Amino acid sequence: MNYTKEQTANLQEQTFAYITVEEKDHLLTITLNRPKARNAMSPTMIREYAYAMSYAHHHAHIWAVVFAANGQVWCAGADLKAMRGKEEANDSTVPTPDTPIVMAELFTKIHKPVIAKVHAPVYAGGFLLIGGCTYVVSTEEATFTLPEVKRGLFPFQVMASLMKFMPSRQVLDFCIRAKSLSAQEALEAGLVTQLAAPDKLDEAVDALVQEIFANSPSAVRLGLKAFDEMRSISESEQQAYLAKMLGQTIMTKDAQEGLKAFAEKRAPAWTGE
């Protein structure tokens, strides 16, 4: 992650210009909060949610993250003017990290489930956010559009993100024809994992969070860590690595509690340790 545990320890004291952060009952909710600019991602916004995600990664009491957005557009993609060094002044106190922020890596290396809560259209680079999430819960009215080729550009990074869960021909067609998908089409393509009526979106996300929290947060964290690290391990070494990870998981307090609760026929009391 781009920030250390020590750097993120004072998350609650930071001033965020373009996101809001709420921490409640082991859940960290990050909300894109630049509605007048259609939640276009500027360097400051990216830095702010990289900081919040680093906090979630480093602190065991956070078991999952929800990504939400305010306004009539969930995310319009990158703020190209700001990316060219013409970002407007703001009051963010989040420091610039020592390493470049790679959005795809943020979501892989957080090692916590991340849920996108999508109530409105997603465009262009916004796909890097939803494409990185573990779950995408969308209203039936949201749309998903890649307009880059109509601007003389191409969604290179989005293409790589989509190829993790969509067939390559489908991804290429999506990028080449600048298609707009309905929420139902996005569900069928694997981009969205669950649909909800607009007035049921909060309820659907809350229910998913509770399903996740019913299981061992330590096991989930170590499983996502293994999922991340297997990308750089040769196939011949993967089983030995996974056996080692299983050994680490068995030694957690959550595993001991889970086994004890099973024997005693009661619900486990997870601590995330």
Side-chain angles (χ1 to χ4, degrees):
M1 302 300 284
N2 294 99
Y3 298 90
T4 66
K5 185 175 183 178
E6 292 70 27
Q7 287 175 312
T8 61
N10 63 342
L11 174 116
Q12 303 301 336
E13 300 172 13
Q14 296 288 353
T15 297
F16 295 98
Y18 298 133
I19 68 170
T20 64
V21 180
E22 180 185 8
E23 182 178 335
K24 183 180 180 182
D25 299 332
H26 304 294
L27 180 69
L28 189 74
T29 300
I30 301 170
T31 303
L32 307 182
N33 192 36
R34 200 185 177 204
K36 291 182 179 179
R38 304 169 72 204
N39 291 317
M41 296 181 291
S42 68
T44 296
M45 177 190 278
I46 294 170
R47 185 168 68 246
E48 289 182 338
Y49 64 65
Y51 183 90
M53 293 176 76
S54 294
Y55 173 85
H57 167 80
H58 290 301
H59 293 82
H61 69 282
I62 298 297
W63 296 355
V65 174
V66 167
F67 246 98
N70 289 327
Q72 296 183 346
V73 173
W74 198 84
C75 181
D79 183 332
L80 298 180
K81 182 178 179 181
M83 294 295 186
R84 292 196 299 267
K86 299 179 180 179
E87 185 174 14
E88 61 190 13
N90 60 74
D91 59 356
S92 177
T93 60
V94 175
T96 300
D98 296 329
T99 56
I101 297 171
V102 180
M103 279 191 275
E105 292 297 295
L106 277 178
F107 288 90
T108 304
K109 293 190 174 300
I110 191 172
H111 301 164
K112 307 284 175 74
V114 183
I115 303 166
K117 181 180 179 181
V118 181
H119 72 287
V122 182
Y123 297 94
F127 279 71
L128 291 174
L129 299 178
I130 61 171
C133 287
T134 322
Y135 301 94
V136 179
V137 183
S138 170
T139 65
E140 298 160 341
E141 298 176 351
T143 56
F144 303 83
T145 308
L146 288 178
E148 281 88 342
V149 292
K150 294 184 180 296
R151 316 284 190 265
L153 305 172
F154 195 86
F156 293 101
Q157 293 167 294
V158 170
M159 176 175 63
S161 178
L162 295 180
M163 287 181 68
K164 294 178 181 178
F165 50 85
M166 290 172 62
S168 57
R169 282 182 173 174
Q170 191 174 16
V171 171
L172 289 172
D173 181 53
F174 193 18
C175 296
I176 290 170
R177 291 203 283 165
K179 294 177 68 174
S180 181
L181 301 182
S182 67
Q184 180 62 43
E185 290 171 325
L187 177 69
E188 293 168 0
L191 179 62
V192 165
T193 58
Q194 182 179 338
L195 292 181
D199 62 343
K200 298 292 185 181
L201 182 60
D202 289 344
E203 182 180 325
V205 171
D206 290 344
L208 177 57
V209 168
Q210 293 312 308
E211 272 194 82
I212 294 170
F213 285 3
N215 302 319
S216 164
S218 295
V220 171
R221 181 181 72 253
L222 291 170
L224 290 173
K225 179 181 179 182
F227 184 83
D228 167 27
E229 293 183 348
M230 279 180 64
R231 296 179 300 159
S232 59
I233 298 174
S234 67
E235 187 173 351
S236 63
E237 297 175 328
Q238 286 182 3
Q239 288 304 316
Y241 165 75
L242 293 173
K244 182 187 76 171
M245 291 299 295
L246 177 59
Q248 288 183 22
T249 306
I250 290 171
M251 297 302 294
T252 64
K253 290 182 180 179
D254 273 353
Q256 300 307 310
E257 166 64 10
L259 294 170
K260 185 179 180 181
F262 178 75
E264 296 174 354
K265 296 181 172 56
R266 60 173 175 80
W270 307 122
T271 63
E273 301 178 68

